[in-house]
Amino acid sequence: MSENPVHERIKGEIDGNQVMLFMKGSPVFPQCGFSAAVVQVLNALGVKFGSVDVLTDPEIRQGIKEFSEWPTIPQLYVKGEFVGGCDIVREMFETGELSELLSTRGIDVRAA
Amino acid sequence: MPMAAIDIEQMIKEHLPGADVKIEDLRGDGDHYLAHVRSAFFKGKTRVQQHQMVYEALKGRMGGELHALALQTSVPAEE
């Protein structure tokens, strides 16, 4: 297990929330269009999710990119698995793959 | 200094030889692009892996110099 304390914190957040979104801003006040788009998708599906505002946590803002080997924010995790950033989440929402992924993981989804 | 579309295309093609790359400048400001990348290298890869391969091609510029590059990846149909 990595001894990197930031990665430990990130892992704790991911393990602590079935659906976890690392974003810029908060779900109520997203500070970036891409983050806002993912929040909209999750709200459209009626999915409860945890979130971290990376703008208030520079350590996580940098650490998450190394943790997932993904260079940008937002980042969505479902049951500990990295799903993707804005493009992938939006694409999966449009094709219905996202609601399928969520329901197969036992997460309640409102029919979009 | 935002990147030029042709540089992005060039870097992707160097990293993924034979890839079909189309870049749209979404806002005409040289900072918000949409790149369509079709490559046989994507075969059998998840979307996350496909996008990561494109980010590798951009050698760390993604998220820094290159603020917004939306990606749409696809695999060429079997000939």
Side-chain angles (χ1 to χ4, degrees):
Chain A
M1 269 302 285
S2 71
E3 296 76 27
N4 178 326
V6 177
H7 287 198
E8 293 303 315
R9 247 187 341 127
I10 290 169
K11 194 140 183 10
E13 294 283 356
I14 290 171
D15 295 343
N17 296 275
Q18 293 199 89
V19 180
M20 183 64 203
L21 178 62
F22 294 85
M23 64 178 292
K24 289 179 182 172
S26 67
V28 179
F29 296 108
Q31 298 299 309
C32 141
F34 299 115
S35 292
V38 174
V39 168
Q40 263 168 356
V41 163
L42 294 174
N43 289 340
L45 293 174
V47 170
K48 283 198 292 297
F49 61 96
S51 71
V52 162
D53 176 1
V54 301
L55 297 178
T56 63
D57 195 327
E59 254 186 3
I60 286 200
R61 180 176 189 173
Q62 190 44 40
I64 192 73
K65 295 175 184 174
E66 290 145 18
F67 182 84
S68 58
E69 288 163 51
W70 189 262
T72 56
I73 304 284
Q75 292 186 19
L76 181 66
Y77 292 77
V78 172
K79 290 267 174 112
E81 186 195 329
F82 176 56
V83 175
C86 182
D87 303 336
I88 289 177
V89 169
R90 224 183 339 211
E91 203 175 315
M92 288 177 72
F93 174 60
E94 278 147 19
T95 60
E97 281 174 79
L98 186 58
S99 38
E100 199 192 318
L101 170 79
L102 290 162
S103 20
T104 48
R105 297 288 193 283
I107 292 163
D108 299 336
V109 178
R110 185 178 44 223
Chain B
M1 223 290 286
M3 288 181 70
I6 190 68
D7 297 337
I8 297 170
E9 187 177 326
Q10 192 57 33
M11 292 180 84
I12 294 173
K13 284 186 170 171
E14 260 161 38
H15 190 65
L16 299 167
D20 172 33
V21 182
K22 246 198 348 284
I23 298 191
E24 290 174 53
D25 187 338
L26 295 176
R27 298 192 192 156
D29 60 3
D31 204 19
H32 293 78
Y33 292 111
L34 167 59
H36 304 267
V37 184
R38 170 164 297 183
S39 164
F41 289 103
F42 292 154
K43 202 162 181 296
K45 295 275 196 304
T46 66
R47 273 200 192 85
V48 169
Q49 289 165 330
Q50 293 174 11
H51 287 215
Q52 281 171 325
M53 289 162 79
V54 176
Y55 291 149
E56 268 160 43
L58 299 170
K59 299 187 181 66
R61 286 183 175 72
M62 188 57 213
E65 197 179 319
L66 193 50
H67 169 64
L69 171 69
L71 285 179
Q72 272 174 8
T73 53
S74 56
V75 183
E78 301 301 314
E79 269 81 37

